[in-house]
Each structure stands twice: as structure tokens, then as C-alpha cells.
Amino acid sequence: MTYYLYHIPGKKIGVTRNLEERVHKQQGYQEGEYAILAESKDITEISNLEIQMQKAFGYKVDRQLYKNLKCNKKEMNINVTEQTTTFPMPLNKLKGRLMDNIGMSWETIDGDVNLTPESIKWVVKNAKTSMYNEERCYIYNKAFARWFDNNSPYPRTGALSPTGVRSMDLKQSQFDLIRDWANERGLYKGGDTKTQSLKLVEEVGEICRAVLKDNHRDVVDGIGDAVVVLTNLAELQGTSIEHCIAEAYNEIKDRTGKMDNGTFKKD
């Protein structure tokens, strides 16, 4: 049996036995969008190499070696979808069942997650009762994966997470607060890119009016509102504002040119 160490640039490094099922079908990437870094029939060798490469690239490091991962759904019949993980018990029984399954791990499109004493605290705090069945509860995968990003023993220092650049500075915290605010209000479930694009045009118009009136406070408010809209627009588009900023910076970082009548003109 051959194990593949694969790299999705800007996203993750992982191991799988089945590229078609894991990378193509589950994660939605096709050939040319990822690279095979190594392949081996030795599960110990490939597991250790995965950890080394995750550290080298600054990605979230798996807390368990690939070779030690279990078939989790045999332990507890969770239901993992693109957005959520649902647990087969009500909220008042959730903590006990999770503690019984410490070490259990599963895959989401936002990253691999597992149950530890600390991550269980997060799950219990953020779980919600299912609207379809009061005997079940769920969490949002993206938020849970971000918890691992921010609590990894190996700081990411600006590396790209499953949905973009994640860092521990103040600006990153503000982006996360915006996303949490929008998610709680159902914007990502009920919103769409067209309405957010129109909202962005409105905010840009407000900024321009404030600039023409030399109203500093309104300019600041307008820029802040535009950033909120851009953050949500990126999320609805299936990316993140951090990733968009990183892409833009990579595009301009080596650009040369000169200032001409108040405008920078590239060579």
C-alpha cells in the first residue's frame, strides 16, 4: 500500500492513501492544484515526514501522527458535512461523551481536528442544538479548525491556513471578530456575493464623499465599513480576506515605478 504526502500550496500538507477520494472529491482540488512531495509504503516514514514538512512550511502541525489516526466514526457516529460536525447527543450529555472519546480525530475541508481536554472545552462552549433534532448538537468546522490554528504548539507566524493567512496579531483578531459576527447573524448562510458587492460600492461612495468634504472621521468609518464588507465578500466567495491581501502583496512587492501627479505608476 502506498502513502502519498501531498501539498496544497497555501492550504495544507497531508497524507492519504487515496488521492482521488481525499484530495479530488473531498477537498475539491484537481491535478495541477497540488503537488506530491513524497510517497512511501512505510507508514512510519511518511508520518514523520508529514510533521517535518508541516513545521517547515509553517502549517498547523497534526497532534497525532498519521499512522496513529483511528477510523473515528466507529468510535462515535458523528456526521461531518462541509460546514458542520454533528454529534449524536443533546448538549447536556455532550461533554461526557466527548471525554469518553479523547483522542478521536476527523477530517474537515478546513483542516483535521481532534478531541483533547482543551478542544473539548471549545466544543462544549460553542455547540448548538440542531434545529432538526433536539437530541443532536453541532459545531461549525471552520471555527473549530481556527481554534486549532490559534492554539497550535507550533505558531503559524503568518502562514496560510485552510482559508488564508492566519496570524496572531491584532488585525487578525479583528478579522476573526468580523467573521464571527457575520456568522452569528446568518450572513454566510443567507447572503451572497452580489449583495455584498453592491454594499461595497455603497461604502466606497461614502469614502469618496468624506474625502471630498475633508471629513477625517467619516473617512475612517467608511474604510472600516468597507473592510467589513470585503471580509464577508471574501468568505462568501470561498476564500479569506487574508488570502486576498497576501495575493495582492505578492503581486506588488517587487513592482517598480514612480510617482506621477500623486499617483504611483508602475513600470
Side-chain angles (χ1 to χ4, degrees):
M1 181 178 296
T2 301
Y3 300 93
Y4 300 94
L5 179 68
Y6 65 91
H7 179 208
I8 302 173
K11 303 291 183 181
K12 66 175 293 185
I13 287 174
V15 171
T16 185
R17 292 174 296 179
N18 190 329
L19 290 167
E20 178 66 26
E21 183 66 27
R22 176 68 180 125
V23 181
H24 295 188
K25 292 183 179 179
Q26 292 185 13
Q27 300 186 59
Y29 294 94
Q30 302 302 317
E31 292 184 7
E33 295 181 298
Y34 67 93
I36 303 301
L37 301 181
E39 56 184 84
S40 174
K41 297 184 181 298
D42 186 335
I43 190 171
T44 299
E45 177 186 28
I46 207 75
S47 297
N48 291 330
L49 184 58
E50 178 189 29
I51 299 298
Q52 294 171 17
M53 296 302 290
Q54 287 172 339
K55 291 180 183 179
F57 278 82
Y59 295 125
K60 178 175 74 70
V61 176
D62 291 339
R63 301 191 181 198
Q64 291 190 71
L65 291 174
Y66 176 81
K67 67 177 182 178
N68 295 331
L69 294 177
K70 300 177 181 178
C71 185
N72 302 306
K73 291 190 178 182
K74 291 183 179 178
E75 300 176 5
M76 181 168 58
N77 291 320
I78 60 175
N79 180 35
V80 183
T81 67
E82 183 174 343
Q83 288 193 332
T84 64
T85 295
T86 300
F87 303 99
M89 74 283 298
L91 286 175
N92 62 353
K93 295 183 179 180
L94 178 61
K95 183 176 181 180
R97 289 290 301 278
L98 295 180
M99 294 298 290
D100 289 340
N101 284 272
I102 283 182
M104 176 178 175
S105 60
W106 62 95
E107 299 175 342
T108 78
I109 64 171
D110 297 296
D112 297 341
V113 297
N114 63 21
L115 296 179
T116 68
E118 291 304 314
S119 69
I120 286 174
K121 291 179 183 178
W122 185 95
V123 172
V124 172
K125 180 179 178 181
N126 291 276
K128 303 179 185 299
T129 298
S130 171
M131 62 185 295
Y132 305 107
N133 186 342
E134 293 184 353
E135 295 300 307
R136 300 172 69 83
C137 56
Y138 68 94
I139 56 171
Y140 286 101
N141 294 331
K142 183 174 289 187
F144 194 27
R146 284 198 187 121
W147 182 89
F148 280 96
D149 289 344
N150 294 331
N151 289 277
S152 170
Y154 304 98
R156 299 169 66 79
T157 59
L160 289 174
S161 78
T163 53
V165 174
R166 306 290 184 204
S167 65
M168 293 297 289
D169 60 19
L170 177 61
K171 293 179 181 178
Q172 169 58 33
S173 297
Q174 294 298 321
F175 288 137
D176 278 338
L177 288 173
I178 292 169
R179 284 185 285 256
D180 289 343
W181 172 86
N183 194 41
E184 289 172 359
R185 287 156 180 78
L187 191 148
Y188 298 145
K189 283 187 176 181
D192 62 66
T193 54
K194 296 183 181 65
T195 57
Q196 287 300 303
S197 297
L198 291 174
K199 180 67 175 173
L200 180 61
V201 172
E202 177 185 340
E203 298 299 347
V204 171
E206 294 290 339
I207 295 171
C208 293
R209 279 190 287 272
V211 169
L212 292 174
K213 293 179 179 180
D214 197 23
N215 188 325
H216 174 77
R217 181 169 181 174
D218 284 353
V219 171
V220 172
D221 286 345
I223 292 173
D225 289 342
V227 170
V228 170
V229 176
L230 283 168
T231 302
N232 294 330
L233 176 59
E235 201 76 5
L236 287 166
Q237 190 64 36
T239 182
S240 73
I241 189 169
E242 295 96 333
H243 179 62
C244 297
I245 292 171
E247 288 289 300
Y249 176 71
N250 287 334
E251 181 72 22
I252 67 171
K253 65 181 181 180
D254 298 320
R255 184 175 293 170
T256 59
K258 61 182 180 181
M259 293 297 298
D260 183 9
N261 194 28
T263 301
F264 179 81
K265 292 187 177 181
K266 65 180 180 179
D267 292 334

